[in-house]
């Protein structure tokens, strides 16, 4: 099966969460702020790259790299993070240009990322956490705010989106039908403290909408700012025997702000 992707999830999919339709139609629109390419920007598309930061598997490096139109994340069973009960190969942030020229998602703002992902059947859901996208406050030891995860539920492989601060499930759907094909992701977040935040999560398989779920009146802010992360971040505590060498592909990453 081909692992190149040319389609792009349209920026017109759905409206902004947390706004009345009248307000959104009259005053706000999505403006594209980030449109990197793997072939043109490589890993320079991101604020930081966390590739085997514990130097646990030099022979497997690089674990994160650009190839053709895709960003490729490899995870080996032997890879270890600085916390040795888990594995992490991730990138963070939305960089435009060089230096400190990256986008900062701050309280009160509404942001959206669209992209396509290819999850092979070797990247399985687990009984403990396997995150493939996170929203976090930057800094060591900070807790996740939102997680897109591969989780086994009563033995069934699923993909889900959760608000981690209050452990709120936004949505969940079966993973196995999405294995070994390109899936489009549309994620929207209003950055808000307490009950001022909202999220929307859409997955599409070709022209079919697999899931479209929203939550409003929720907490999506800790401090400083919110920063997206992509890659594979998983616990070694899985009890289903699902951990194996695997990879994840991303392409057509786009970032928009509601202004």
């Amino acid at each position: 099966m081909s692992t190149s992707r040319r389609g792009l999830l349209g920026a017109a999919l759905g409206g902004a969460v947390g706004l009345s339709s009248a307000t959104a139609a009259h005053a706000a629109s999505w403006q594209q702020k980030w449109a990197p390419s793997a072939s043109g920007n490589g890993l320079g598309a991101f604020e930081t790259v966390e590739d085997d930061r514990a130097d646990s598997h030099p022979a497997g490096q690089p674990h994160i790299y650009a190839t053709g139109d895709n960003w490729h994340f490899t995870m080996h069973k032997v890879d270890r993070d600085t916390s040795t009960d888990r594995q992490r190969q991730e990138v963070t942030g939305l960089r435009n240009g060089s230096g400190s020229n990256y986008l900062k998602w701050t309280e009160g703002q509404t942001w959206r990322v669209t992209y396509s992902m290819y999850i092979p059947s070797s990247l399985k859901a687990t009984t403990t956490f396997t995150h493939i996208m996170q929203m976090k406050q930057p800094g060591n030891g900070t807790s996740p705010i939102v997680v897109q995860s591969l989780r086994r539920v009563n033995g069934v492989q699923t993909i889900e989106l959760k608000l981690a601060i209050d452990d709120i499930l936004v949505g969940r759907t079966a993973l196995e039908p999405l294995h070994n094909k390109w899936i489009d992701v549309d994620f929207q977040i209003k950055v808000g403290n307490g009950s001022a935040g909202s999220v929307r999560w859409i997955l599409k398989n070709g022209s079919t909408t697999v899931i479209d779920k929203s939550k409003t009146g929720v907490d999506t802010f800790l401090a400083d700012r919110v920063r997206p992360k992509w890659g594979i971040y998983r616990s070694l505590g899985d009890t289903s025997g699902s951990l194996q060498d695997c990879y994840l592909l991303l392409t057509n990453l786009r970032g928009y702000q509601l202004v």
Side-chain angles (χ1 to χ4, degrees):
M1 179 173 292
S2 170
T3 53
S4 65
R5 175 71 167 190
R6 296 181 182 177
L8 172 63
L9 185 63
L13 255 181
V17 294
L19 294 173
S20 70
S21 58
T23 300
H26 175 71
S29 63
W30 293 111
Q31 291 193 8
Q32 184 173 285
K33 300 290 187 176
W34 186 60
S37 71
S39 59
N41 301 97
L43 297 183
F46 308 106
E47 184 179 337
T48 69
V49 179
E50 299 175 349
D51 185 332
D52 195 11
R53 58 185 188 173
D55 200 28
S56 67
H57 187 201
Q61 298 173 11
H63 296 82
I64 307 171
Y65 54 91
T67 175
D69 294 330
N70 306 322
W71 287 277
H72 188 290
F73 302 79
T74 300
M75 185 66 76
H76 307 99
K77 288 181 68 176
V78 299
D79 297 345
R80 296 292 183 271
D81 192 24
T82 49
S83 297
T84 56
D85 64 340
R86 62 198 63 191
Q87 303 176 296
R88 184 197 304 268
Q89 311 292 1
E90 289 183 306
V91 296
T92 78
L94 286 62
R95 181 177 295 281
N96 281 324
S98 59
S100 60
N101 190 18
Y102 47 81
L103 300 175
K104 297 180 180 179
W105 298 9
T106 58
E107 188 175 4
Q109 295 180 338
T110 302
W111 287 88
R112 177 186 201 169
V113 286
T114 65
Y115 60 97
S116 298
M117 62 181 177
Y118 185 93
I119 305 175
S121 55
S122 58
L123 178 49
K124 302 182 186 302
T126 56
T127 56
T128 48
F129 69 83
T130 294
H131 304 321
I132 56 173
M133 181 187 75
Q134 299 186 75
M135 301 291 140
K136 292 191 70 177
Q137 173 192 339
N140 293 330
T142 56
S143 300
I145 299 167
V146 183
V147 289
Q148 180 178 254
S149 310
L150 311 181
R151 188 180 304 278
R152 285 188 179 265
V153 180
N154 298 322
V156 177
Q157 295 194 71
T158 73
I159 181 170
E160 67 179 27
L161 190 84
K162 268 192 173 184
L163 295 160
I165 296 174
D166 296 313
D167 194 29
I168 296 172
L169 179 67
V170 177
R172 177 185 287 149
T173 192
L175 174 63
E176 289 191 55
L178 308 182
H179 269 145
N180 302 320
K181 59 187 68 174
W182 284 99
I183 303 300
D184 294 320
V185 183
D186 185 340
F187 172 77
Q188 304 167 29
I189 181 170
K190 181 180 179 182
V191 181
N193 198 28
S195 61
S198 57
V199 296
R200 185 177 183 184
W201 181 54
I202 305 169
L203 298 182
K204 289 179 71 73
N205 179 6
S207 61
T208 301
T209 299
V210 177
I211 192 167
D212 183 348
K213 296 291 185 180
S214 301
K215 288 287 185 184
T216 59
V218 292
D219 193 353
T220 58
F221 181 74
L222 290 173
D224 185 23
R225 61 187 172 105
V226 174
R227 183 171 67 180
K229 303 187 77 173
W230 293 275
I232 304 172
Y233 176 42
R234 66 184 184 181
S235 165
L236 295 171
D238 173 68
T239 59
S240 66
S242 297
L243 298 177
Q244 59 188 93
D245 291 353
C246 62
Y247 66 92
L248 172 71
L249 299 178
L250 302 180
T251 195
N252 289 332
L253 284 157
R254 299 291 182 267
Y256 306 86
Q257 185 179 8
L258 193 68
V259 295

